[in-house]
Amino acid sequence: MKIKSNKLFWLLGLILVFSCETTELDLLVDPNVPSPEALDPDTNLNFIQFQLAEFFENATESGAEAVRLEYMFDEYDVNFNNTNASNSGMWTTAYANILNEVGALIPIATSSSRFRHIGVARIIRAYTMMTMVDYFGDVPYTEALQGDSGIVFPAVDAGSDVYDAALAELDQALVDFANIDGNTPNFNDLYYSEGASNTMPNWTKFANTLKLKYYLNRRLIDPTGSTAGINALLTGGDIITTSADDFKWSSGTSINPQSRHPYYVEEYSAANTGEYIPNYLSWALTEEKGADDPRLRYYIYRQVNSFPTDEATLNNEIDCWNNPRPATYAAIDAMQTVPLPYCSLFARGDGYWGRDHGNNDGIPPDNAKRTTFGVYPVGGRFDDNDAQGIDDNEGLQGAGIWPIMMDSFVYFMRAEAALFLGTSDSDSAMLEQAIRSSMATVTSFLPNPGDFTNTASAADIDTYVNTVMAAYMAATSNAERMEIIGKEYWIAMYGNGVEGYNLYRRTGAPGNLQPTLLGTSTFPRSFLYPNVTVDRNINISQKPGLAVQVFWDNNPAGFIQ
């Protein structure tokens, strides 16, 4: 649960509140954005690219909180009500700042044969709409942003139809790229630096990888179509396969204007941790396998290297220390030889200071002791046993990334597809490559490893990979194999809650996620429509609750928690 610093979001919110003629799906006048007749295609596409990072930030926070990659305060029903700031920001950014602007850009860019602009805008629109369906299910699309045609209250489209429209957008984007010639104007590429490319190789790989994601998410409802679609992409070979192909937003180190990673700003620049690292994440990286994950010190930074031992301090700072383990934790403990964490990682005693999933106790005076985000992906400090408080201008000074689609993610997706669909890949080979790709990306994120003592060695990585692969080869069912793929994918996607949220609903893995501390509650199979739209659109009815499943999720009700 983070403090939002996006001033544009609040400005747009005020516009929505005081407008009686429009909704966020029909934003007729936005003083921050040029009118269509005055629109500059280059400036507009810059804005759209930046807004994709803003959209991802909001989306990743909600998904990450649901699947324990980030700390969630309180129960699902409370945290993910229809006023949730992340989901509201995601909705507004999608419609007002991405779809609206892409719709304005394409006609103008078409008239000047700006095929690079058009193709990139289409890919961003496709990613946005797929993610909106993944999070909310049925959403407005065909009637959205049609105020000029008299549609003030757009109705929702079936999620499956929006998904298909996104696939068509990706295909059309590739056609646009094929039309590039020596006269096609360049653009400022904020992701791949391909603004002058005649072939757009990395954007093409990202588009095709989104197709792979489309087919994988649909595998439960259309295994035959998904198998054929994925095999065709594998045969074509034009997907993300190396770290050079990664689709990520890269933050800078500037303070004015602010370009640092948002989580770095909220933690390091404030010199005061406002976020907890989930105990379950720390446990998964330390105790679950009996040895520390080589990525541990890159992911998590400790401000202290011990826990208090006197009762007075414990009562003040970690007041659950003497409480009995919740009954809801007991049944799931049997799934692991090492019991799931409760309250804190006291057994280690070395300062991995976090919180349990859903803990809604009052916030104690422990800001200077909590673990926080490390060097990857936020651009903070590497944990070299310093045990020092964080401050501004430390570590990579905020030069982090949003890992939107990394090569390791693609290999994990291919492992799942091979396991359940029998695609042309080897599931075990894809799993091993996925882990090694993640390790290479994370460990190479530290530009000066020679300055530190506790960096991961090649031997550390080999030992980890060999341990996981031995367990995988010993597994006797696809369910057991998926548990291993899912847990390793979950660890590798740190910084990306979007794919974690999809993975958990699609596969049920990782199956041993720490239960919600306060009880079972209702896991969000999709999120409620934000009040910024449902309260202003007579054609959108609020869902009955968080149990409503998106179109591609036909798993049993209640199979995840």
Side-chain angles (χ1 to χ4, degrees), residues 244-261:
D245 308 330
D246 290 344
F247 187 78
K248 59 185 184 291
W249 173 265
S250 298
S251 300
T253 59
S254 171
I255 298 175
N256 187 21
Q258 184 61 260
S259 69
R260 296 177 172 191
H261 194 287

Side-chain angles (χ1 to χ4, degrees), residues 217-506:
N217 274 349
R218 287 174 49 88
R219 74 166 176 82
L220 296 173
I221 62 170
D222 182 18
T224 301
S226 292
T227 303
I230 292 173
N231 275 335
L233 291 167
L234 297 178
T235 299
D238 218 4
I239 59 176
I240 292 174
T241 56
T242 71
S243 60
D245 308 330
D246 290 344
F247 187 78
K248 59 185 184 291
W249 173 265
S250 298
S251 300
T253 59
S254 171
I255 298 175
N256 187 21
Q258 184 61 260
S259 69
R260 296 177 172 191
H261 194 287
Y263 288 7
Y264 185 93
V265 174
E266 292 163 3
E267 302 282 305
Y268 287 80
S269 296
N272 186 12
T273 56
E275 180 76 2
Y276 284 98
I277 299 297
N279 282 330
Y280 179 81
L281 175 64
S282 295
W283 172 84
L285 292 167
T286 57
E287 297 183 3
E288 183 175 18
K289 295 186 180 75
D292 287 355
D293 189 301
R295 293 161 290 196
L296 171 66
R297 293 172 180 269
Y298 301 80
Y299 281 7
I300 300 175
Y301 177 78
R302 291 169 298 159
Q303 297 189 94
V304 296
N305 58 10
S306 64
F307 290 103
T309 55
D310 63 288
E311 291 190 12
T313 303
L314 285 168
N315 288 335
N316 189 40
E317 297 178 347
I318 314 178
D319 62 3
C320 57
W321 73 277
N322 202 29
N323 294 346
R325 291 172 65 83
T328 53
Y329 280 45
I332 204 167
D333 280 353
M335 297 176 63
Q336 289 291 321
T337 55
V338 180
L340 291 173
Y342 168 62
C343 187
S344 198
L345 272 65
F346 289 124
R348 286 184 63 93
D350 56 355
Y352 283 95
W353 189 303
R355 267 201 164 193
D356 289 337
H357 185 58
N359 187 336
N360 70 347
D361 286 350
I363 304 300
D366 63 351
N367 300 77
K369 297 181 178 181
R370 302 175 198 169
T371 51
T372 189
F373 303 103
V375 64
Y376 181 91
V378 169
R381 290 185 68 164
F382 176 80
D383 187 337
D384 207 29
N385 291 335
D386 303 297
Q388 297 174 345
I390 58 172
D391 206 343
D392 200 10
N393 295 321
E394 293 186 332
L396 299 188
Q397 300 180 47
I401 62 170
W402 285 125
I404 299 174
M405 185 59 70
M406 313 296 280
D407 66 323
S408 61
F409 299 0
V410 180
Y411 286 115
F412 281 116
M413 291 193 291
R414 291 170 65 175
E416 178 187 335
L419 183 66
F420 290 111
L421 298 176
T423 55
S424 56
D425 281 325
S426 161
D427 54 296
S428 60
M430 291 299 100
L431 172 60
E432 179 168 355
Q433 182 59 58
I435 300 170
R436 290 192 179 279
S437 292
S438 172
M439 295 285 182
T441 295
V442 173
T443 57
S444 66
F445 209 73
L446 192 63
N448 52 337
D451 294 346
F452 300 92
T453 303
N454 293 284
T455 54
S457 68
D460 295 331
I461 293 171
D462 284 342
T463 298
Y464 182 94
V465 172
N466 292 339
T467 298
V468 172
M469 294 311 300
Y472 190 80
M473 300 311 292
T476 58
S477 68
N478 281 353
E480 290 180 12
R481 296 182 187 98
M482 188 62 233
E483 279 298 317
I484 295 172
I485 294 172
K487 174 54 71 72
E488 295 308 312
Y489 189 9
W490 180 88
I491 292 172
M493 68 175 65
Y494 187 53
N496 185 320
V498 175
E499 303 311 326
Y501 184 46
N502 286 346
L503 170 75
Y504 190 44
R505 290 175 297 162
R506 191 174 63 242

Side-chain angles (χ1 to χ4, degrees), residues 60-219:
T60 205
E61 183 166 343
S62 289
E65 287 182 1
V67 299
R68 289 67 155 173
L69 285 166
E70 293 186 26
Y71 163 62
M72 185 185 80
F73 184 89
D74 220 313
E75 298 183 50
Y76 299 120
D77 297 341
V78 176
N79 188 54
F80 295 124
N81 60 32
N82 68 350
T83 64
N84 179 279
S86 295
N87 291 339
S88 297
M90 178 184 173
W91 187 282
T92 303
T93 301
Y95 284 104
N97 298 353
I98 296 180
L99 301 183
N100 187 52
E101 298 312 309
V102 170
L105 169 67
I106 288 179
I108 294 174
T110 299
S111 66
S112 53
S113 299
R114 296 177 182 270
F115 297 113
R116 295 185 184 93
H117 292 66
I118 302 169
V120 167
R122 289 190 189 279
I123 293 169
I124 291 175
R125 179 158 65 181
Y127 177 86
T128 301
M129 291 315 302
M130 286 177 66
T131 308
M132 290 293 285
V133 171
D134 292 340
Y135 275 58
F136 300 107
D138 300 341
V139 293
Y141 187 66
T142 56
E143 293 187 354
L145 306 167
Q146 298 296 316
D148 290 344
S149 301
I151 302 176
V152 179
F153 302 111
V156 299
D157 293 78
S160 58
D161 292 341
V162 180
Y163 241 55
D164 289 344
L167 181 66
E169 281 282 271
L170 295 170
D171 286 334
Q172 186 57 52
L174 299 181
V175 172
D176 293 325
F177 290 159
N179 286 326
I180 294 171
D181 60 27
N183 297 317
T184 302
N186 299 342
F187 78 104
N188 182 25
D189 187 354
L190 303 181
Y191 287 88
Y192 282 128
S193 299
E194 290 184 341
S197 171
N198 286 334
T199 56
M200 305 293 284
N202 284 315
W203 278 100
T204 296
K205 290 177 182 178
F206 178 51
N208 284 324
T209 301
L210 290 181
K211 292 184 187 182
L212 189 151
K213 175 178 172 176
Y214 165 94
Y215 289 118
L216 186 65
N217 274 349
R218 287 174 49 88
R219 74 166 176 82

